[in-house]
Amino acid sequence: MGFGPAAALGVQIAQPDRVVVALIGDGGMSAQLPALPMAVEQGLPVIFLVMNNRAHGTISDLQSSFFGRSYGCDFVDPDGNPYSPDFAALGRACGADGYLVAEPGELTAALKSAIGRRRPAVIDVPMVNEPVPTPGHWNIKDIYQGLFE
C-alpha cells in the first residue's frame, strides 16, 4: 500500500510523453501524499485516480475475518459516521487539477479532461467498501493463506 503514487511519478519521469494514471485506493494515496505536490513542482502530468471507499478496505476485511472486527481501518468521525478527505480539493490545494466524481457517468469526462490538460490531477471516485470475498472477484484472503488456485 502506498507504492502507486510514487511509482507513477517514476514512470512519468521515465516516459514523459506517456499518459500515466495511478489507480490507487484512498489509503494508498494517504500514505504517499507528498507525491502530489512533487508532481506539481516537477510539472509531471500524473493522474491520481483515487478509489475512495473511506477505508483501508483490504486490511479491514482481513482483520474482521481473522479477529472478528476491524480496528483503525474504517475511516469514521468521532460519531462513527464514514469520513474521508476530499482528495479533489486536496489536489487543487496543492496546485493540481481536482475532480470529484459524483455519478458513474462523470468518470469518463473527468478522465478525458485530465488527459487533455496534461497537468497533475486527482480524480476522487467515491466507492462502497465491499467486504472480501465479493462474488466473481479475486479474493486477497486466498493469497494470504497461500491458496493460488
Side-chain angles (χ1 to χ4, degrees), residues 21-41:
V21 179
L23 182 61
I24 48 183
D26 51 337
M29 187 68 199
S30 296
Q32 285 294 316
L33 288 177
L36 184 53
M38 181 180 176
V40 173
E41 291 167 2

Side-chain angles (χ1 to χ4, degrees), residues 22 70 100:
S70 172
L100 178 60

Side-chain angles (χ1 to χ4, degrees), residues 86-89 92 97-101 109-115 117 121-125:
D86 182 337
F87 288 99
R92 290 187 296 273
D97 294 338
Y99 304 85
L100 178 60
V101 174
L111 195 53
K112 284 182 178 179
S113 176
I115 290 169
R117 291 178 51 87
V122 178
I123 303 175
D124 189 340
V125 183

Side-chain angles (χ1 to χ4, degrees), residues 71-85:
Y71 182 78
C73 292
D74 298 297
F75 306 155
V76 294
D77 68 15
D79 296 323
N81 300 309
Y83 165 80
S84 176

